[in-house]
Amino acid sequence: MAEIINLRAARKAKARGEKEAKAEENRILFGRPKKAKTLAERKKAIEVSRHEGHKLVGRDEEG
């Protein structure tokens, strides 16, 4: 004979599992310490300034 289950409880358990999976993804994406975030921002700023510094300005404007 089959086991009787409560569908409401099963739905709630499934929703809890999905919610926990989403929370784990968010912990990975947004759970960096402040020091790591500022370090990444600094590296990005240096990279952008180096890239901007290598642009050739004025060559197209002279015609």
Side-chain angles (χ1 to χ4, degrees):
M1 189 156 206
E3 183 179 339
I4 298 174
I5 60 168
N6 186 339
L7 292 178
R8 180 175 33 105
R11 283 189 205 109
K12 285 184 177 183
K14 181 181 176 187
R16 263 187 250 116
E18 291 172 355
K19 206 172 192 180
E20 182 60 33
K22 180 67 175 171
E24 184 63 31
E25 289 176 18
N26 286 340
R27 283 187 209 109
I28 293 169
L29 290 175
F30 303 111
R32 296 186 303 163
K34 185 174 183 177
K35 190 172 185 177
K37 289 178 188 178
T38 56
L39 181 63
E41 288 173 4
R42 286 184 195 154
K43 285 183 179 180
K44 181 70 175 173
I46 291 170
E47 182 181 313
V48 168
S49 67
R50 283 184 184 160
H51 181 72
E52 293 294 321
H54 288 289
K55 283 188 174 180
L56 298 176
V57 179
R59 192 172 257 193
D60 291 333
E61 295 173 1
E62 293 177 20

